[in-house]
């Protein structure tokens, strides 16, 4: 009897182990997908926003001297010697472009200062008697405290330079955080513009999508299925193609302006493209299915008997709709608005194609610093800013709307 119980326990443990292994194998592809497409990229973005080792790698002697500098006393000959030696060495092995680019982020004309001095030092023969006199002769800017403060702030290994820049802030020569000059402040306005445009798109999608969802959810089955296909049809087309199609439709000689002039609305083409109007029209068209689908799913789950019961008890149909039906659609409305708003925050293609210079959102600048200027630190900092703003808005929205009720489909 005892041996049978032992065998039974052993069999149960084996069966439990097989179930756990099966569960792990089933979940493993999803875990790996999230790990490599979501967790690792975000972790790398956070790292790049605070890591600053380009100058330290190219100019190690200068970095060592700067880290021992008190930021208040004038640079001595040893610091000038370390800078001159590193500058000439990097010019000779042609790695000078990296520190020149990094110094240009923090110092106006920093790239020209480094590249011009590097070219002169590369032709220098022997060791000069005074590196200080040599560098000041090449460019008096090497004697400015501002230049050395910029070098010290770029000497790493960690920095708050990129995050402060993303918030239109900087450190003054004393190390105090201050606002950047108005002509250099940009990103908070871009973040405000991004939030405003995302909110506008969300509200327009809700106004247009709620009646459509109500009609689809309550239409006869055959009609409802046909309408669902029409709702899903835009998702089967490339986002790039849909955005490019709006360029054709909204241009001065496009179909929309031709119709407006044909019905007498205007005697000349209305500017609908490369401005805020064009961006809103195109983004609402792209985002509308993501608002409609969660609301339809919620509306289809609402029993029709509730409305009939309210009306049979004497409620006006409009009152019954507002007090009985509308509150039950709230989870779908909350899911749709949250989905559209968060997706709109990161939009890049549509504003880049149909918007003007003053309509570009934060994603445009992230793409610019990633692909055009190779300023990965600032691109990562702007990404952190966007991620933080999204997280804050999400938690505020969750507190206001009891997000536990939300169903995405």
């Amino acid at each position: 009897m005892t041996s049978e119980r032992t065998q039974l326990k052993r069999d149960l443990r084996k069966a439990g182990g097989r179930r756990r292994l099966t569960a792990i194998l089933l979940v493993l592809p999803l875990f790996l997908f999230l790990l490599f497409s979501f967790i690792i990229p975000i972790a790398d973005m956070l790292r790049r926003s605070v890591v600053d080792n380009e100058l330290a790698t190219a100019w190690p002697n200068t970095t060592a001297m700067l880290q021992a500098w008190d930021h208040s006393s004038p640079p001595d000959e040893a610091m000038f010697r370390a800078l001159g030696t590193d500058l000439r060495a990097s010019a000779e092995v042609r790695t000078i472009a990296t520190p020149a680019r990094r110094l240009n982020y923090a110092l106006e004309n920093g790239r020209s200062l480094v590249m011009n001095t590097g070219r002169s030092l590369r032709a220098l023969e022997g060791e000069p008697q005074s590196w200080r006199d040599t560098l000041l002769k090449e460019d008096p800017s090497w004697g400015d405290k501002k230049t050395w403060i910029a070098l010290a702030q770029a000497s790493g290994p960690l920095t708050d330079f990129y995050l402060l820049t993303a918030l239109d802030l900087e450190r003054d020569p004393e190390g105090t955080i201050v606002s950047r000059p108005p002509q250099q402040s940009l990103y908070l306005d871009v973040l405000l513009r991004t939030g405003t445009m995302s909110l506008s798109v969300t509200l327009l999608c809700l106004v247009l999508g709620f009646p459509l969802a109500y009609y689809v959810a309550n239409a006869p089955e055959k009609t409802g299925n046909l309408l669902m296909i029409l709702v899903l049809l835009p998702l089967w087309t490339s986002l790039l193609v849909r955005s490019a199609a709006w360029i054709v439709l909204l241009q001065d000689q496009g179909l929309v302006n031709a119709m407006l002039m044909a019905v007498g609305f205007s005697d000349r083409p209305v500017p609908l493209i490369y401005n805020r109007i064009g961006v809103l029209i195109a983004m609402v068209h792209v985002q509308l299915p993501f608002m409609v689908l969660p609301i339809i799913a919620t509306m289809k789950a609402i029993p029709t008997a509730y409305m009939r019961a309210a009306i049979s008890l004497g409620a006006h149909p409009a009152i019954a709709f507002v007090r009985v039906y509308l509150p039950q659609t709230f989870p779908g409305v909350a899911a749709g608005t949250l989905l559209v708003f968060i997706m709109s925050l990161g939009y890049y293609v549509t504003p880049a194609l149909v918007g003007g210079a003053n309509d570009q959102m934060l994603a445009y600048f992230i793409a610019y610093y990633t692909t055009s200027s190779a300023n990965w630190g600032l691109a990562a900092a702007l990404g952190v800013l966007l991620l933080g703003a999204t997280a804050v808005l999400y938690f505020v929205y969750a507190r206001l709307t009891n997000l536990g009720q939300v169903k995405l489909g």
Side-chain angles (χ1 to χ4, degrees), residues 132-152:
R132 176 189 176 86
D133 295 342
T134 302
L135 289 173
L136 293 182
K137 181 181 178 183
E138 295 298 333
D139 197 315
S141 298
W142 290 116
D144 293 344
K145 186 179 178 181
K146 184 174 64 175
T147 303
W148 287 92
I149 290 291
L151 286 169

Side-chain angles (χ1 to χ4, degrees), residues 58 305 403:
L403 209 57

Side-chain angles (χ1 to χ4, degrees), residues 209-220 223-224 227 296 299-300 325:
F210 191 91
L212 174 62
Y214 180 81
Y215 185 75
V216 173
N218 294 280
T223 306
L227 293 174
I296 290 177
M299 286 180 171
K300 283 190 172 181
Y325 188 85

Side-chain angles (χ1 to χ4, degrees), residues 126-329:
E127 189 79 7
Q129 288 187 347
S130 169
W131 276 106
R132 176 189 176 86
D133 295 342
T134 302
L135 289 173
L136 293 182
K137 181 181 178 183
E138 295 298 333
D139 197 315
S141 298
W142 290 116
D144 293 344
K145 186 179 178 181
K146 184 174 64 175
T147 303
W148 287 92
I149 290 291
L151 286 169
Q153 292 177 348
S155 60
L158 299 178
T159 182
D160 57 4
F161 171 77
Y162 297 116
L163 291 173
L164 291 177
T165 302
L167 294 170
D168 290 337
L169 300 172
E170 63 180 3
R171 288 190 180 274
D172 64 9
E174 285 71 35
T176 305
I177 297 175
V178 298
S179 298
R180 295 176 72 87
Q183 64 273 18
Q184 298 179 10
S185 299
L186 170 67
Y187 303 111
L188 288 183
D189 288 341
V190 175
L191 180 63
L192 179 62
R193 181 196 308 159
T194 301
T196 304
M197 291 175 66
S198 300
L199 182 61
S200 302
V201 170
T202 303
L203 293 177
L204 288 172
C205 284
L206 180 61
V207 170
L208 296 174
F210 191 91
L212 174 62
Y214 180 81
Y215 185 75
V216 173
N218 294 280
E221 183 177 356
K222 187 175 179 180
T223 306
N225 291 337
L226 177 61
L227 293 174
M228 277 294 290
I229 292 175
L230 295 178
V231 170
L232 294 172
L233 196 59
L235 300 179
W236 301 347
T237 310
S238 165
L239 173 62
L240 187 61
V241 172
R242 280 180 282 166
S243 300
W246 281 110
I247 298 177
V248 177
L249 293 174
L250 298 177
Q251 61 182 311
D252 290 349
Q253 292 77 33
L255 179 63
V256 175
N257 264 313
M259 292 177 61
L260 292 177
M261 288 189 289
V263 300
F265 181 81
S266 174
D267 57 354
R268 65 185 65 182
V270 179
L272 297 174
I273 195 72
Y274 306 126
N275 55 26
R276 191 67 54 87
I277 297 175
V279 175
L280 290 177
I281 292 174
M283 286 187 66
V284 168
H285 167 247
V286 173
Q287 298 283 37
L288 192 58
F290 300 104
M291 176 67 76
V292 171
L293 292 175
I295 299 178
I296 290 177
T298 302
M299 286 180 171
K300 283 190 172 181
I302 299 174
T304 56
Y306 291 175
M307 280 287 288
R308 289 200 302 268
I311 294 172
S312 67
L313 291 173
H316 189 277
I319 300 296
F321 178 84
V322 172
R323 302 189 63 176
V324 176
Y325 188 85
L326 195 59
Q328 296 182 78
T329 65

Side-chain angles (χ1 to χ4, degrees), residues 349-390:
V349 173
T350 304
L353 287 178
V354 301
N358 294 324
D359 305 308
Q360 301 307 317
M361 300 169 72
L362 202 57
Y364 170 86
F365 292 90
I366 295 174
Y368 171 78
Y369 286 120
T370 303
T371 60
S372 298
S373 67
N375 190 347
W376 286 88
L378 186 53
L382 292 174
V384 171
L385 180 64
L386 189 60
L387 180 65
T390 305

